[in-house]
Amino acid sequence: MNAPLFQKLLVVTDFSEGASGAMAQAVWLAELVGAEVTVAHVIPFPHDTTTTFLNNPWYVAADSEEVERRLLAWADRRLRDLIEPYRGRPVALDTKILWGTPFIEIIQTVQSEEFDLVIAGRHGLSAISRFFIGSTAARLVRKCPCPVWTVKQPAKESLRTILAPIDFSDVSRQSLRLAAELARRADCSLRVLHVDTEGVDYGFDIIWSDNEEPTVSARRHRRRRQLQEQARDFTRELKLPVDPQIVIERGDAWKRIVSATKRLGADLTVLGTLGRAGVAGMVIGNTAEKVLNSADGSILAIKPDGFVSPVPERAAAMQV
């Protein structure tokens, strides 16, 4: 019998197209692993607001209580519409409305209600921008204590190829184990990628592949063979439930990972995140952040053991 992989999924929605894709992948994943799904919308200003949007013609209310009532009714209606197409699926569905700064409210809800995965669209409220760093999804990836699955449109309800970049660190072990278990349950292929960054001139990257002619130095060929063997030992040590294909490339790590997601058609990239500047929990590692900006497909970001969110816990989230 399969051990639980995820049990409680929290889907973040702002009712954008990207959020709809996140919902589709969440329901598919919940069916795959036997999890329950809660869909949350955060009304992005304080619960006790008295002036926000009162001058907007959409609001004809004379006081804050009427504004609040209308916002709650609107959010509740949209949430019900969002989950309605999935009512016949064998998945427990619930909804939640929160008030405040979206990423803070979501993180505090994860902390208080022990969700073990957050799923969000990679383009939502900030869709006018090509990049989403600074958006709710990016802040969740940086600061949420549980794994965060970010979905890029167009979203697919199933997986064919999972990419797992590794750097032989402990968090790589975590992310690779999770990637392999997902690949087993989804019955899809797993590619393990290691990028050799030694001595790279970042203005000119070389991609190594098995069928490449030996036109570079023997030292680099020896190094590539050593890394291939190291990666094989790394995967054997973990006793993965699937047999992965190992890919060794050379260059700038984030560029090679991004190009691999496109070249291999990866539907999901599972990678570890690391704190930088010596402060655990403040920001994700530079490589992971750039991959999140640019990669195709969905991204599942895993925190290292001991990660502590900089967002303080609270006794109970403000919700209705």
Side-chain angles (χ1 to χ4, degrees), residues 55-69:
N55 294 324
N56 190 310
W58 194 80
Y59 296 102
V60 295
D63 56 53
S64 60
E65 289 185 2
E66 179 66 9
V67 171
E68 179 178 314
R69 186 190 68 79

Side-chain angles (χ1 to χ4, degrees), residues 68-95:
E68 179 178 314
R69 186 190 68 79
R70 291 186 178 211
L71 286 170
L72 288 173
W74 175 82
D76 182 67
R77 183 173 64 255
R78 295 297 301 272
L79 285 169
R80 291 177 185 276
D81 289 345
L82 182 63
I83 68 173
E84 185 60 33
Y86 304 99
R87 284 293 189 187
R89 306 275 282 267
V91 175
L93 296 170
D94 195 9
T95 62

Side-chain angles (χ1 to χ4, degrees), residues 36-59:
E36 59 186 52
V37 176
T38 297
V39 189
H41 174 70
V42 185
I43 298 174
F45 39 86
H47 187 270
D48 59 352
T49 183
T50 58
T51 60
T52 306
F53 292 159
L54 283 177
N55 294 324
N56 190 310
W58 194 80
Y59 296 102

Side-chain angles (χ1 to χ4, degrees), residues 50-290:
T50 58
T51 60
T52 306
F53 292 159
L54 283 177
N55 294 324
N56 190 310
W58 194 80
Y59 296 102
V60 295
D63 56 53
S64 60
E65 289 185 2
E66 179 66 9
V67 171
E68 179 178 314
R69 186 190 68 79
R70 291 186 178 211
L71 286 170
L72 288 173
W74 175 82
D76 182 67
R77 183 173 64 255
R78 295 297 301 272
L79 285 169
R80 291 177 185 276
D81 289 345
L82 182 63
I83 68 173
E84 185 60 33
Y86 304 99
R87 284 293 189 187
R89 306 275 282 267
V91 175
L93 296 170
D94 195 9
T95 62
K96 186 180 297 290
I97 301 173
L98 306 166
W99 294 81
T101 303
F103 83 92
I104 292 175
E105 298 304 317
I106 292 298
I107 290 173
Q108 291 182 328
T109 299
V110 166
Q111 293 166 334
S112 64
E113 301 186 33
E114 298 183 339
F115 287 96
D116 47 21
L117 179 67
V118 170
I119 302 180
R122 286 171 63 188
H123 294 284
L125 294 174
S126 60
I128 58 172
S129 172
R130 178 182 175 188
F131 300 116
F132 76 101
I133 291 300
S135 71
T136 296
R139 290 188 174 101
L140 288 172
V141 168
R142 294 184 188 122
K143 300 179 180 182
C144 187
C146 72
V148 176
W149 183 310
T150 57
V151 179
K152 185 177 180 181
Q153 288 292 101
K156 299 175 182 177
E157 284 197 31
S158 61
L159 304 177
R160 294 171 300 178
T161 301
I162 296 176
L163 178 67
I166 61 170
D167 60 5
F168 307 121
S169 64
D170 287 341
V171 74
S172 281
R173 289 184 173 86
Q174 292 174 244
S175 60
L176 181 52
R177 284 193 184 101
L178 180 54
E181 183 58 24
L182 280 170
R184 182 183 74 82
R185 298 193 188 208
D187 192 24
C188 68
S189 64
L190 175 64
R191 308 289 184 91
V192 174
L193 170 67
H194 176 74
V195 180
D196 180 15
T197 61
E198 182 185 82
V200 170
D201 175 2
Y202 289 100
F204 180 71
D205 297 335
I206 300 173
I207 300 176
W208 299 80
S209 61
D210 289 330
N211 60 4
E212 184 176 39
E213 293 296 325
T215 56
V216 295
S217 70
R219 185 185 68 83
R220 286 183 174 177
H221 277 285
R222 279 199 307 272
R223 177 168 176 80
R224 180 178 179 276
R225 288 194 297 270
Q226 289 168 355
L227 288 171
Q228 187 110 30
E229 189 57 37
Q230 185 179 355
R232 289 195 186 99
D233 291 343
F234 188 79
T235 58
R236 289 192 194 108
E237 176 191 336
L238 297 178
K239 299 179 179 179
L240 302 177
V242 297
D243 187 21
Q245 178 181 344
I246 295 172
V247 180
I248 305 295
E249 297 190 358
R250 183 174 182 274
D252 188 335
W254 77 269
K255 290 180 181 177
R256 297 277 65 84
I257 294 171
V258 168
S259 67
T261 66
K262 299 175 181 178
R263 187 177 68 257
L264 301 175
D267 303 304
L268 176 68
T269 300
V270 184
L271 74 168
T273 63
L274 298 171
R276 67 169 176 247
V279 184
M282 289 301 294
V283 291
I284 62 172
N286 187 54
T287 294
E289 188 165 300
K290 290 178 178 178

